[in-house]
Amino acid sequence: RRLLLQCGSTLIALPALAVRAAGAAVPAASAPTPAQTEGPFYPRVLPVDRDADLTQVVGRSGSARGTRLYLSGRVLGVDGAPAQRVAVELWQCDVHGRYHHAGDEGLPRDDDFQGFGISATDGDGRFAFKTIRPVPYGGRPPHLHFRITRGGQTALTTQLYVAGEASDRDAVIAASPSGTLARLSIRLAPAPDREAGALKANYDFVLR
């Protein structure tokens, strides 16, 4: 009788355990990342060198001026599932506020900065870039431009801002729904494990 009671208790507990296990495997749903304007500085012609390291240009011996920034994260669906093999495009101005390959000509200009790069997500939806800390220009706060394409189609175009260095007074942010800035901000942290003086940040994009 004692054995039957023990077995019965175990059988009763098993469905509950199964439900918890199944629930733990379901990713949490998230709201889509807010979209923002592409801006006037998307490359007119993509550079020959467009890898994920924007601090080094193929064929040049120098390296980009500016503080190194290691930016990584994931691209996910609203259901939390990783978006595999999507292209994450990043472009930004150099330390002088110049966008490369976009008709933004003039001096000074850092020709050792690539200005544009692409990182393809892996099986877990992860991407990574090596670039420079964004700088302000023309009244705009430091920011990074992104476009994510899937199957040749644009899935998201947006911008990321350095936490604490942008406000709702910025024209692009002011044109966005309330709360957008908080959702598009990245926090920079020291990255001495990468290189002296470097920074790092993490951000997950969520596609509709």
Side-chain angles (χ1 to χ4, degrees), residues 34 36 161-162 166-168 173 176-186:
Q36 287 206 305
Y161 302 87
V162 177
S167 74
D168 293 330
I173 298 171
S176 303
S178 177
T180 296
L181 176 57
R183 297 188 56 204
L184 293 179
S185 292
I186 55 174

Side-chain angles (χ1 to χ4, degrees), residues 105-127:
E105 304 299 336
L107 296 174
R109 172 189 169 99
D110 183 5
D111 289 323
D112 291 320
F113 182 57
Q114 191 171 294
F116 175 92
I118 302 176
S119 176
T121 61
D122 63 14
D124 295 320
R126 298 188 181 280
F127 68 90

Side-chain angles (χ1 to χ4, degrees), residues 48-141:
V48 174
D49 186 4
R50 48 181 182 264
D51 63 6
D53 182 355
L54 279 67
T55 67
Q56 196 79 40
V57 178
V58 170
R60 298 188 64 88
S61 58
S63 60
R65 297 180 59 187
T67 301
R68 297 295 182 264
L69 172 62
Y70 290 85
L71 176 67
S72 60
R74 296 178 299 167
V75 180
L76 308 169
V78 291
D79 59 356
Q84 303 176 359
R85 309 297 186 267
V86 302
V88 181
E89 301 177 49
L90 162 66
W91 68 98
Q92 67 183 105
C93 66
D94 63 22
V95 292
H96 303 296
R98 294 286 181 186
Y99 282 85
H100 294 209
H101 323 293
D104 186 25
E105 304 299 336
L107 296 174
R109 172 189 169 99
D110 183 5
D111 289 323
D112 291 320
F113 182 57
Q114 191 171 294
F116 175 92
I118 302 176
S119 176
T121 61
D122 63 14
D124 295 320
R126 298 188 181 280
F127 68 90
F129 288 99
K130 180 182 179 183
T131 185
I132 62 171
R133 187 191 199 282
V135 300
Y137 69 88
R140 292 221 63 207

Side-chain angles (χ1 to χ4, degrees), residues 32-36 146-149 153-158 205-207:
T33 299
Q36 287 206 305
F146 290 90
R147 187 169 76 174
I148 299 175
T149 59
Q153 300 296 316
T154 299
L156 174 68
T157 300
T158 194
F205 294 99
V206 179
L207 303 183

